[in-house]
Amino acid sequence: MKRYIINRLLLLIPTILGVTFIIFTIMSLTPGDPGRIILGQGAEQADVDQFNRDLGLDRPFLVRYVTYVANAVRGDFGLSYRTGRPVYESIRNRFPFTVTLAFLGVLGSMIIGIPLGILSAVKQYSFWDILGSVSAMFLAAVPGFWLGLMLILFFSLRLGWLPSSGVGTYQHYIMPAITLAIPGAARILRLTRTTMLETIRTDYVRTARAKGAKERTVVWKHALRNALLPIVTSIGVSFAAALGGTVITEAVFALPGLGTLVITSIRMKDTPQVMAAVLLLSFLFMIIILLIDLTYGFIDPRIKSMYR
Amino acid sequence: MNNDYKKQSQVKEVFRRLKKNKPALIGLIVISIIILVAIFADFIVDYETVAIEQNISQRLRPPSREHWMGTDGFGRDVFARIVHGTRVTLSLSLVTTFSSAFLGSIIGAIAGYFGGRIDNIIMRINDTIMCIPPILLSLSVVAALGAGLRNLFIAILVASTPGFVRLIRSVVLGVRSEEFIEAAHALGTSDIKIIWNHVLPNAMGPIIVQSTMYVAGMILLTSGLSFLGLGVQPPVPEWGYMLNEGREFIRHSPHLIYMPGIAIVISALSLNLLGDGLRDALDPKLKN
Amino acid sequence: MREKLLEIRDLKVIYKTDEETVEAVNNIDLDLYKGESLGIVGETGAGKTTTALSIIRLLPYRVAKILSGEIIFNEQNLLELSEKDMRKIRGNNISMIFQDPMSSLNPVLTVEDQIAEVLRLHMDYGKEMIKKRVKEVLQLVGIPHDRMFEYPHQFSGGMKQRVGIAIALACDPDLLIADEPTTALDVTIQAQVLNMIDELQSRLKTSMILITHDLGVVAQTCDNVAIMYAGEIVESGTAKDIFEGERHHPYTEGLFGSIPNLDIDEKRLNPIQGVMPEPSMLPSGCRFHPRCPHCMDICIAESPQSKSFDGHHIKCHLFL
């Protein structure tokens, strides 16, 4: 197991470098030069050139990339074009908020999706199964931003129960978390249902029944643990969706997270800021994927024994 | 000759199974209607005078006989904007899906067919791109190139192609080991011909299913980015951007929120239903 | 004195899907006596496994239906028991060895856990006692007990089937149902596992139903034999009746014709012509008539009754 973990950690390094390279390449496709964007149309050409030289923008692409990575390792993601201050400063305060939100969203989708999926599968073709499948189908088609607006309309404006924007209390988290959770919950419900239906029909579940095990034991001990394997894998997809979804959710509820920072920075053409935020969220995503893979190794003895 | 016959009966069989699947059939009918609305939008309501022209005296009217879905903050008819928005959203989603399916199929087929180092390099890059959450990837492209229709297209293309590459590669890997490919090789058929004539047709089923599902996802993604103000630019009517504009009036004119959202949900839902049915009809084993 | 353990009367099972209804088992009768073994022989799809699953009532839920009949086990009709009472019998009084050991063991649980589970369910044992019993049964099936904490994927096919047998024997069942226990194994392992089952069955005095498509296997292990064809039992009797008797159902003769006989110098085998009918499109009259070399007019018109010659039952118009 130790070897497996070390293996996976080592694999993370080239992936991080690769992701950085891709984002860095995309960002350097920006037409026009940063000096002109920041100093404005009225600035002297000499000043603009000097500015670009100070930022090292006149050097070759690969040199700039290596410099960027070398600085980033030390926590220096460059200066914001807009404020002139290190971009890391504005990210530091917003990062935990966005991460919390994303975790709440994924947690919410699992809490809703997995039990309902099991229920649907165990009671296949029953009223609950049909209700579950139909609502999952429907909710998978609901865009997060619209769901958020509808929640505001109903719970904030009509009923006045929950605040429609901003942060402060736990109540501020409720609607954003639901907005993030619902699309994922729909997906997880459907996945749980199909994998449970498959495992319930396997030979080893029949063996368990032939032993005289109760239906509850059969479902929870024999079927679920096996069905859990693909579900655990799919949590990675949920996180990707949730981390991306925070951008939209934060915009709907006017929340001070990385998402709103990314949107404002895109409008202000503040490339270093966008790049740092996107990179950090991607790193987080990769670490989550790694953790999921490790969990998988613990649940599935076939993988566990491969690395013993 | 024989092959043609087989292909035809296969299509028939798929259609027969699809017809038995009620939800999929409903999805097919609804999406067909939506496509017709998109094609004949100009015959339903005029673009310039009704969907674009502002009329401040008529602003924020609730739904009435004159304006079925009310009017927006600029006094434009919401129904007209939804109808013409169908054209924008649907064509954008279809074009992006088709493009990324096309691009992804070519790259995936190359990787899967040739294998070895080419496969290794392509898949390394592909997997790395897939480590970036798709919306963030799209946002990076928009951040670099700026907002607007063309850049939105590029942004979504970049984010959605890797999924197709992976899918097609795995299908091609499966097909490649089949005997008829070996037979074609033995006859001296060129690689490109083999890929085009034998490998891709066999990968068509999964491509179609995945594409149908993708269009739904694209509708959500394009309208999402437009909602953030990074996609389609005003005054072009687009469902996501209509929601963005409507937010301001959410308290007193909630119809500006209901209508575009319902349009998005219905389109995405019918595509999902159809995609689900197609998947079951094409290959019951493909479930998940 | 032979004591009856299991008595199946007039059992009829159908499978019902959206597309069609299939008669899987059609009014069969079977008897099994304590300590004896019964071989059920037939081709794939003859209804052997359906019969076995009916006994422990594990037919595919919703699709399969038992239309009529009785299954009397130890003087109670299993078909009338509540699910709760039936659970007390499964794994305890009646246990089953399944066909495919590769998929019949749960991949995420250790072998020990899977054997101990059946003990925990039915025996009033403490932890130590369970562990002791697990080691005992593992030894019984020839698996070193230091492997008990391993997972199924660490075992070979033959070893997995031994684990399956250990699970089945853990609670000392009265009846063991072995559904083609060696079909999925390598030929070299088949004899080993089969000998073991045979040996354990006679040593533990467990009654056994052995399902197989192989007459040779039956000859080696079983006291009694029933031949199944298209959901019916066409011939049944003692092993002696079947292997040495003078009268036979034409299908049984066909089955013997399909086995290479080393004593007689034959140029080629005499397999039965044709294939077993689709269970959804059964022929009229005697179900075997389209393939029967002795087919008469009455065979097409009427289904034959079973006739007994001193306990040797044959269901054929030739003998009526």
Side-chain angles (χ1 to χ4, degrees), chain A residues 15 18-19 22-23 26-27 30-31 137-138 140-141 143 145-146 149-150 153 157-158 190-191 194 240 247-248 251-252 263 266-267 274 278 281-282 285-286, chain B residues 128-133 135-137 139-141 143-145 220 223-224 227-228 230 243 247 250-251 254 257-258 261-262 264-265 268-269 272-273 276 288:
Chain A
T15 319
V19 165
I22 288 166
I23 300 285
I26 292 175
M27 289 303 180
T30 313
M137 206 55 186
F138 177 74
F145 49 94
W146 189 59
L149 291 174
M150 293 304 283
L153 209 52
L157 300 179
R158 180 81 45 93
R190 293 171 43 130
L191 180 69
T194 21
V247 179
I248 284 170
V252 173
I263 302 299
I266 290 178
R267 293 219 183 93
V274 177
V278 170
L281 288 175
S282 303
F285 176 54
M286 281 180 267
Chain B
T128 311
I129 298 178
M130 287 183 96
C131 282
I132 307 165
I135 295 190
L136 294 179
L137 191 58
L139 284 175
S140 314
V141 175
L145 301 180
L220 301 186
S223 55
F227 173 77
L228 294 173
L230 302 173
L243 282 169
R247 282 176 75 183
I250 186 168
R251 189 175 290 269
I257 305 298
Y258 298 140
I262 291 171
I264 296 173
V265 171
L269 180 62
N272 279 340
L273 289 174
D276 248 25
N288 266 312

Coordinates of all heavy atoms in Angstrom, one line a residue, chain A residues 15 18-19 22-23 26-27 30-31 137-138 140-141 143 145-146 149-150 153 157-158 190-191 194 240 247-248 251-252 263 266-267 274 278 281-282 285-286, chain B residues 128-133 135-137 139-141 143-145 220 223-224 227-228 230 243 247 250-251 254 257-258 261-262 264-265 268-269 272-273 276 288:
Chain A
T15 N 1.9 15.6 -13.7 CA 0.6 16.1 -14.1 C 0.4 17.5 -13.7 O -0.2 18.3 -14.5 CB -0.5 15.2 -13.3 OG1 -0.1 13.9 -13.3 CG2 -1.9 15.4 -13.9
G18 N 2.2 19.5 -16.2 CA 1.4 19.5 -17.4 C 0.2 20.5 -17.4 O 0.0 21.3 -18.3
V19 N -0.5 20.4 -16.3 CA -1.7 21.3 -16.2 C -1.2 22.7 -16.2 O -1.8 23.6 -16.9 CB -2.5 21.0 -14.9 CG1 -3.4 22.1 -14.6 CG2 -3.2 19.6 -15.0
I22 N -0.4 23.8 -19.7 CA -1.6 24.0 -20.6 C -2.3 25.3 -20.3 O -2.5 26.1 -21.2 CB -2.6 22.8 -20.4 CG1 -2.1 21.6 -21.1 CG2 -4.0 23.2 -21.0 CD1 -2.8 20.3 -20.7
I23 N -2.5 25.6 -19.0 CA -3.1 26.8 -18.6 C -2.2 28.0 -19.0 O -2.7 29.0 -19.5 CB -3.4 26.9 -17.1 CG1 -4.3 25.7 -16.7 CG2 -3.9 28.2 -16.6 CD1 -5.7 25.9 -17.0
I26 N -2.5 28.6 -22.7 CA -3.8 29.2 -23.1 C -3.7 30.7 -22.7 O -4.1 31.6 -23.6 CB -5.0 28.6 -22.3 CG1 -5.2 27.2 -22.8 CG2 -6.2 29.4 -22.5 CD1 -6.2 26.4 -22.1
M27 N -3.2 31.0 -21.5 CA -3.2 32.4 -21.1 C -2.3 33.3 -21.9 O -2.5 34.5 -22.1 CB -2.7 32.5 -19.6 CG -3.8 31.9 -18.7 SD -5.3 32.8 -18.8 CE -6.3 32.0 -17.6
T30 N -3.4 35.5 -25.2 CA -4.1 36.7 -25.1 C -3.6 37.7 -26.2 O -2.3 37.9 -26.2 CB -3.9 37.4 -23.7 OG1 -4.1 36.4 -22.8 CG2 -4.8 38.6 -23.5
P31 N -4.4 38.2 -27.0 CA -4.0 39.2 -28.0 C -3.6 40.5 -27.3 O -4.2 40.8 -26.3 CB -5.2 39.3 -29.0 CG -6.3 38.9 -28.2 CD -5.9 38.0 -27.1
M137 N -33.9 12.4 -13.7 CA -33.8 12.8 -15.1 C -34.1 14.3 -15.2 O -33.4 15.0 -16.0 CB -35.0 12.0 -15.8 CG -34.8 11.8 -17.2 SD -33.2 11.0 -17.5 CE -33.0 10.9 -19.2
F138 N -35.1 14.8 -14.5 CA -35.5 16.2 -14.6 C -34.4 17.1 -14.0 O -34.0 18.1 -14.6 CB -36.8 16.4 -13.8 CG -37.3 17.8 -13.8 CD1 -37.9 18.4 -14.9 CD2 -37.2 18.5 -12.6 CE1 -38.3 19.7 -14.8 CE2 -37.7 19.8 -12.5 CZ -38.2 20.4 -13.7
A140 N -31.3 16.6 -13.6 CA -30.1 16.6 -14.4 C -30.1 17.6 -15.5 O -29.1 18.1 -16.0 CB -29.8 15.2 -14.9
A141 N -31.3 18.0 -15.9 CA -31.5 19.0 -16.9 C -31.6 20.4 -16.4 O -31.8 21.4 -17.2 CB -32.7 18.6 -17.8
P143 N -30.2 23.7 -15.0 CA -28.9 24.4 -14.9 C -28.8 25.1 -13.5 O -29.8 25.6 -12.9 CB -28.9 25.5 -15.9 CG -30.4 25.7 -16.3 CD -31.1 24.5 -15.9
F145 N -27.5 27.8 -12.3 CA -27.8 29.2 -12.1 C -29.3 29.4 -12.1 O -29.8 30.3 -11.3 CB -27.2 30.1 -13.2 CG -27.4 29.6 -14.6 CD1 -28.4 30.1 -15.4 CD2 -26.5 28.7 -15.2 CE1 -28.6 29.7 -16.7 CE2 -26.7 28.2 -16.5 CZ -27.8 28.7 -17.2
W146 N -30.1 28.7 -12.8 CA -31.5 28.8 -12.8 C -32.1 28.3 -11.5 O -32.9 28.9 -10.9 CB -32.2 28.1 -14.0 CG -33.6 28.4 -14.1 CD1 -34.2 29.7 -14.3 CD2 -34.7 27.5 -14.0 NE1 -35.6 29.6 -14.3 CE2 -35.9 28.3 -14.2 CE3 -34.8 26.1 -13.9 CZ2 -37.2 27.7 -14.2 CZ3 -36.1 25.6 -13.9 CH2 -37.2 26.3 -14.0
L149 N -31.5 30.8 -8.9 CA -32.5 31.9 -9.0 C -33.9 31.5 -8.5 O -34.5 32.3 -7.8 CB -32.6 32.4 -10.4 CG -31.3 33.1 -11.0 CD1 -31.5 33.4 -12.5 CD2 -31.0 34.4 -10.2
M150 N -34.3 30.3 -8.8 CA -35.6 29.8 -8.4 C -35.6 29.7 -6.9 O -36.6 30.0 -6.2 CB -35.9 28.5 -9.0 CG -36.1 28.5 -10.5 SD -37.4 29.7 -11.1 CE -38.8 28.7 -10.7
L153 N -36.0 33.1 -5.5 CA -37.3 33.6 -5.7 C -38.3 33.0 -4.7 O -39.1 33.7 -4.1 CB -37.8 33.1 -7.1 CG -38.8 33.9 -7.9 CD1 -38.4 35.3 -8.0 CD2 -38.9 33.3 -9.3
L157 N -37.5 35.6 -1.5 CA -38.4 36.7 -1.8 C -39.9 36.3 -1.4 O -40.5 37.1 -0.8 CB -38.4 37.0 -3.3 CG -37.0 37.4 -3.8 CD1 -37.0 37.7 -5.2 CD2 -36.6 38.7 -3.0
R158 N -40.3 35.1 -1.7 CA -41.6 34.7 -1.3 C -41.8 34.4 0.1 O -42.6 34.9 0.8 CB -42.0 33.4 -2.2 CG -43.4 32.9 -2.0 CD -44.5 33.7 -2.8 NE -44.1 34.0 -4.2 CZ -44.4 33.2 -5.2 NH1 -45.1 32.1 -5.0 NH2 -44.1 33.6 -6.4
R190 N -28.7 8.2 -10.3 CA -28.8 7.3 -11.5 C -27.7 6.3 -11.5 O -27.9 5.1 -11.8 CB -28.8 8.1 -12.7 CG -30.1 9.0 -12.9 CD -30.0 9.9 -14.0 NE -29.5 9.2 -15.2 CZ -30.0 9.2 -16.4 NH1 -31.1 9.9 -16.6 NH2 -29.4 8.6 -17.4
L191 N -26.5 6.7 -11.2 CA -25.4 5.8 -11.2 C -25.5 4.7 -10.1 O -25.3 3.5 -10.3 CB -24.1 6.5 -11.0 CG -22.8 5.7 -11.0 CD1 -22.6 5.1 -12.3 CD2 -21.6 6.5 -10.5
T194 N -28.2 2.1 -11.1 CA -27.7 1.1 -12.1 C -26.7 0.1 -11.5 O -26.8 -1.1 -11.7 CB -27.1 1.7 -13.4 OG1 -26.7 3.0 -13.1 CG2 -28.1 1.7 -14.5
A240 N -15.2 17.8 -9.9 CA -14.9 18.7 -11.0 C -16.1 19.6 -11.3 O -15.9 20.8 -11.5 CB -14.6 17.8 -12.3
V247 N -18.2 28.7 -9.5 CA -18.1 30.0 -10.2 C -19.5 30.5 -10.5 O -19.7 31.7 -10.2 CB -17.3 29.7 -11.6 CG1 -17.2 31.1 -12.3 CG2 -15.9 29.2 -11.3
I248 N -20.3 29.6 -11.0 CA -21.7 30.1 -11.3 C -22.5 30.4 -10.1 O -23.2 31.4 -9.9 CB -22.4 29.1 -12.3 CG1 -21.8 29.2 -13.7 CG2 -23.9 29.2 -12.3 CD1 -22.2 28.1 -14.6
A251 N -21.6 33.5 -8.4 CA -22.2 34.6 -9.2 C -23.6 34.9 -8.9 O -24.1 36.0 -8.7 CB -22.0 34.4 -10.7
V252 N -24.4 33.7 -8.8 CA -25.8 33.9 -8.5 C -26.1 34.5 -7.1 O -26.9 35.4 -7.0 CB -26.5 32.5 -8.6 CG1 -28.0 32.6 -8.1 CG2 -26.5 32.0 -10.0
I263 N -14.3 35.7 -12.3 CA -15.2 36.5 -13.2 C -14.8 37.9 -13.3 O -14.6 38.5 -14.4 CB -16.7 36.4 -12.8 CG1 -17.1 34.9 -12.8 CG2 -17.6 37.1 -13.8 CD1 -17.0 34.2 -14.1
I266 N -11.5 38.2 -15.2 CA -11.7 38.0 -16.6 C -12.1 39.3 -17.3 O -11.6 39.8 -18.3 CB -12.7 36.9 -17.0 CG1 -12.0 35.5 -16.6 CG2 -13.0 36.9 -18.5 CD1 -12.9 34.3 -16.9
R267 N -13.1 40.0 -16.6 CA -13.6 41.2 -17.2 C -12.6 42.3 -17.2 O -12.5 43.1 -18.1 CB -14.8 41.7 -16.3 CG -16.0 40.8 -16.4 CD -17.3 41.6 -16.5 NE -18.4 40.6 -16.5 CZ -19.1 40.2 -15.4 NH1 -18.7 40.7 -14.2 NH2 -20.0 39.3 -15.5
V274 N -6.5 35.3 -12.9 CA -7.3 34.2 -13.4 C -6.5 32.9 -13.4 O -6.9 31.9 -12.9 CB -7.8 34.5 -14.8 CG1 -8.6 33.3 -15.3 CG2 -8.6 35.7 -14.9
V278 N -7.4 29.5 -11.3 CA -7.7 28.3 -12.1 C -6.7 27.2 -11.7 O -7.1 26.0 -11.5 CB -7.7 28.5 -13.6 CG1 -7.7 27.2 -14.4 CG2 -8.9 29.4 -14.0
L281 N -7.4 25.8 -8.2 CA -8.6 24.9 -8.2 C -8.3 23.6 -8.9 O -8.7 22.5 -8.4 CB -9.8 25.6 -8.8 CG -10.4 26.7 -8.0 CD1 -11.5 27.4 -8.8 CD2 -11.0 26.2 -6.7
S282 N -7.5 23.6 -9.9 CA -7.1 22.4 -10.6 C -6.3 21.5 -9.8 O -6.4 20.3 -9.7 CB -6.4 22.7 -11.9 OG -7.2 23.5 -12.8
F285 N -8.3 19.8 -7.3 CA -9.1 18.7 -8.0 C -8.2 17.5 -8.1 O -8.6 16.4 -7.9 CB -9.6 19.2 -9.4 CG -10.2 18.2 -10.2 CD1 -11.3 17.4 -9.6 CD2 -9.8 17.9 -11.4 CE1 -11.9 16.5 -10.4 CE2 -10.5 16.9 -12.2 CZ -11.5 16.2 -11.7
M286 N -6.9 17.7 -8.5 CA -6.0 16.6 -8.7 C -5.7 15.9 -7.4 O -5.7 14.6 -7.3 CB -4.7 17.1 -9.3 CG -4.8 17.3 -10.8 SD -3.2 17.8 -11.5 CE -3.4 19.6 -11.4
Chain B
T128 N -4.1 15.0 -19.1 CA -3.7 16.2 -18.4 C -4.8 17.3 -18.5 O -5.2 17.9 -17.6 CB -2.4 16.7 -18.9 OG1 -1.5 15.6 -19.0 CG2 -1.8 17.8 -18.0
I129 N -5.3 17.4 -19.8 CA -6.4 18.4 -20.0 C -7.6 18.0 -19.1 O -8.2 18.9 -18.5 CB -6.8 18.5 -21.4 CG1 -5.6 18.9 -22.3 CG2 -8.0 19.4 -21.6 CD1 -5.9 19.0 -23.8
M130 N -7.9 16.7 -19.0 CA -9.0 16.3 -18.2 C -8.8 16.5 -16.7 O -9.8 16.3 -15.9 CB -9.4 14.8 -18.5 CG -10.0 14.7 -19.9 SD -10.5 13.0 -20.3 CE -12.2 13.0 -19.8
C131 N -7.6 16.8 -16.3 CA -7.4 17.2 -14.9 C -7.9 18.5 -14.5 O -7.9 18.9 -13.3 CB -5.9 17.1 -14.5 SG -5.3 15.4 -14.3
I132 N -8.3 19.3 -15.5 CA -8.8 20.7 -15.3 C -10.3 20.6 -15.4 O -10.8 20.2 -16.4 CB -8.2 21.7 -16.3 CG1 -6.7 21.5 -16.3 CG2 -8.6 23.1 -15.9 CD1 -6.0 22.2 -17.5
P133 N -11.0 21.0 -14.3 CA -12.5 21.0 -14.4 C -12.9 21.8 -15.6 O -12.4 22.9 -15.9 CB -12.9 21.7 -13.1 CG -11.8 21.4 -12.2 CD -10.6 21.4 -13.0
I135 N -15.4 23.7 -16.8 CA -15.8 25.1 -16.8 C -14.6 26.0 -16.6 O -14.5 27.0 -17.2 CB -16.8 25.4 -15.6 CG1 -18.1 24.6 -15.9 CG2 -17.1 26.9 -15.5 CD1 -19.3 24.9 -15.0
L136 N -13.7 25.6 -15.7 CA -12.5 26.4 -15.5 C -11.6 26.5 -16.7 O -11.1 27.5 -17.0 CB -11.6 25.8 -14.3 CG -12.3 25.8 -12.9 CD1 -11.4 25.2 -11.9 CD2 -12.7 27.2 -12.6
L137 N -11.6 25.4 -17.5 CA -10.8 25.4 -18.7 C -11.4 26.4 -19.7 O -10.8 27.2 -20.3 CB -10.8 24.0 -19.3 CG -9.8 23.7 -20.5 CD1 -8.4 24.0 -20.1 CD2 -9.9 22.3 -20.9
L139 N -13.3 28.9 -19.0 CA -13.1 30.2 -18.5 C -11.7 30.7 -18.8 O -11.5 31.9 -19.1 CB -13.3 30.3 -16.9 CG -14.8 30.2 -16.5 CD1 -14.9 30.1 -15.0 CD2 -15.5 31.4 -17.0
S140 N -10.7 29.9 -18.7 CA -9.3 30.3 -19.0 C -9.2 30.7 -20.5 O -8.6 31.8 -20.8 CB -8.3 29.1 -18.8 OG -8.6 28.5 -17.6
V141 N -9.9 30.0 -21.4 CA -9.9 30.4 -22.8 C -10.5 31.7 -23.0 O -10.0 32.6 -23.7 CB -10.5 29.3 -23.7 CG1 -10.6 29.7 -25.1 CG2 -9.8 28.0 -23.5
A143 N -10.9 34.0 -20.8 CA -10.0 35.0 -20.1 C -8.9 35.4 -21.1 O -8.6 36.6 -21.2 CB -9.4 34.4 -18.8
A144 N -8.4 34.5 -21.8 CA -7.3 34.8 -22.7 C -7.8 35.5 -24.0 O -7.2 36.5 -24.4 CB -6.5 33.5 -23.1
L145 N -8.9 35.0 -24.5 CA -9.3 35.5 -25.9 C -10.3 36.6 -25.8 O -10.6 37.3 -26.7 CB -9.8 34.3 -26.7 CG -8.9 33.2 -27.0 CD1 -9.5 32.1 -27.8 CD2 -7.6 33.7 -27.6
L220 N -26.4 23.6 -21.3 CA -26.2 24.0 -19.9 C -24.9 24.9 -19.8 O -24.9 25.9 -19.2 CB -26.2 22.9 -18.9 CG -27.4 22.0 -18.8 CD1 -27.2 21.0 -17.7 CD2 -28.6 22.8 -18.6
S223 N -25.3 28.3 -21.9 CA -26.1 29.3 -21.3 C -25.5 29.7 -19.9 O -25.7 30.8 -19.5 CB -27.5 28.7 -21.1 OG -27.5 27.5 -20.4
G224 N -24.8 28.8 -19.3 CA -24.1 29.1 -18.1 C -23.0 30.2 -18.3 O -23.0 31.2 -17.6
F227 N -24.7 33.4 -19.1 CA -25.3 33.9 -17.8 C -24.2 34.7 -17.1 O -24.5 35.8 -16.5 CB -25.8 32.8 -16.9 CG -26.2 33.2 -15.6 CD1 -27.4 33.9 -15.4 CD2 -25.4 33.0 -14.5 CE1 -27.9 34.3 -14.1 CE2 -25.8 33.5 -13.2 CZ -27.0 34.1 -13.0
L228 N -23.0 34.3 -17.1 CA -21.9 35.0 -16.5 C -21.5 36.2 -17.3 O -20.6 37.0 -16.8 CB -20.7 34.1 -16.3 CG -20.9 32.9 -15.3 CD1 -19.7 32.0 -15.4 CD2 -21.1 33.4 -13.9
L230 N -20.1 36.0 -20.2 CA -18.8 35.8 -20.9 C -19.1 35.1 -22.3 O -18.1 34.8 -23.0 CB -18.0 34.8 -20.1 CG -17.6 35.4 -18.7 CD1 -16.9 34.4 -17.9 CD2 -16.8 36.7 -18.8
L243 N -31.5 35.3 -18.6 CA -31.6 35.2 -17.1 C -30.7 36.2 -16.4 O -31.1 36.7 -15.4 CB -31.1 33.8 -16.8 CG -32.2 32.7 -17.0 CD1 -31.6 31.3 -16.8 CD2 -33.3 32.8 -16.0
R247 N -32.3 39.0 -13.8 CA -32.0 39.0 -12.4 C -32.4 40.3 -11.7 O -32.9 40.3 -10.6 CB -30.5 38.7 -12.1 CG -30.1 37.4 -12.3 CD -28.6 37.3 -12.2 NE -28.2 37.4 -10.8 CZ -26.9 37.5 -10.4 NH1 -26.0 37.4 -11.3 NH2 -26.6 37.5 -9.1
I250 N -35.9 40.4 -10.6 CA -36.4 39.2 -10.1 C -37.6 39.4 -9.1 O -38.5 38.6 -9.1 CB -35.3 38.4 -9.4 CG1 -35.7 37.0 -9.0 CG2 -34.7 39.1 -8.2 CD1 -34.6 36.1 -8.6
R251 N -37.5 40.5 -8.3 CA -38.6 40.6 -7.3 C -40.0 40.9 -7.9 O -40.9 40.3 -7.5 CB -38.2 41.8 -6.4 CG -39.1 41.9 -5.2 CD -38.6 43.0 -4.3 NE -37.3 42.6 -3.6 CZ -37.3 42.0 -2.4 NH1 -38.4 41.7 -1.8 NH2 -36.2 41.7 -1.8
P254 N -40.9 38.2 -12.0 CA -40.3 36.8 -12.0 C -40.5 36.1 -13.3 O -39.7 35.1 -13.6 CB -41.0 36.1 -10.9 CG -42.2 36.9 -10.6 CD -42.0 38.3 -11.0
I257 N -37.5 35.3 -15.1 CA -36.6 34.2 -14.6 C -37.2 32.8 -15.1 O -36.5 31.9 -15.5 CB -36.5 34.2 -13.1 CG1 -36.0 35.6 -12.6 CG2 -35.7 33.1 -12.6 CD1 -34.6 35.9 -13.1
Y258 N -38.6 32.7 -14.9 CA -39.2 31.4 -15.2 C -38.9 31.0 -16.7 O -38.5 29.9 -17.0 CB -40.7 31.5 -15.1 CG -41.2 31.8 -13.7 CD1 -42.3 32.7 -13.5 CD2 -40.6 31.2 -12.6 CE1 -42.8 32.9 -12.2 CE2 -41.1 31.5 -11.3 CZ -42.2 32.4 -11.1 OH -42.6 32.6 -9.8
G261 N -35.5 29.8 -18.2 CA -35.1 28.6 -17.4 C -35.9 27.4 -17.9 O -35.3 26.3 -18.1
I262 N -37.2 27.6 -18.0 CA -38.0 26.5 -18.5 C -37.6 26.0 -19.9 O -37.5 24.8 -20.2 CB -39.5 26.9 -18.5 CG1 -40.0 27.0 -17.0 CG2 -40.4 25.8 -19.2 CD1 -41.4 27.6 -16.9
I264 N -34.6 26.1 -21.2 CA -33.4 25.4 -21.0 C -33.7 24.0 -20.5 O -33.2 23.0 -21.1 CB -32.4 26.1 -20.1 CG1 -31.9 27.4 -20.6 CG2 -31.2 25.2 -19.8 CD1 -31.1 28.2 -19.6
V265 N -34.5 23.9 -19.5 CA -34.8 22.6 -18.9 C -35.5 21.7 -19.9 O -35.1 20.5 -20.0 CB -35.7 22.7 -17.6 CG1 -36.2 21.4 -17.1 CG2 -34.9 23.5 -16.5
A268 N -32.8 20.5 -22.5 CA -31.9 19.5 -22.0 C -32.5 18.2 -21.6 O -32.0 17.1 -21.9 CB -31.2 20.1 -20.8
L269 N -33.7 18.3 -21.0 CA -34.4 17.1 -20.6 C -34.8 16.2 -21.8 O -34.5 15.0 -21.7 CB -35.7 17.5 -19.8 CG -36.6 16.4 -19.3 CD1 -35.8 15.5 -18.3 CD2 -37.8 16.9 -18.7
N272 N -31.7 14.5 -23.0 CA -31.3 13.4 -22.1 C -32.2 12.2 -22.3 O -31.7 11.1 -22.3 CB -31.3 13.9 -20.7 CG -30.1 14.7 -20.3 OD1 -29.1 14.6 -20.9 ND2 -30.2 15.5 -19.2
L273 N -33.5 12.4 -22.4 CA -34.4 11.3 -22.5 C -34.1 10.5 -23.8 O -34.0 9.3 -23.8 CB -35.8 11.8 -22.6 CG -36.4 12.3 -21.3 CD1 -37.8 12.9 -21.5 CD2 -36.5 11.2 -20.2
D276 N -30.7 8.7 -23.5 CA -30.9 7.5 -22.7 C -31.5 6.3 -23.5 O -31.1 5.2 -23.5 CB -31.8 7.8 -21.5 CG -31.1 7.7 -20.2 OD1 -29.9 7.9 -20.2 OD2 -31.8 7.5 -19.2
N288 N -24.4 2.7 -18.7 CA -23.2 3.3 -17.9 C -21.9 2.9 -18.5 O -21.1 2.2 -17.9 CB -23.3 2.9 -16.5 CG -24.0 3.9 -15.7 OD1 -23.7 5.1 -15.8 ND2 -25.0 3.5 -14.9

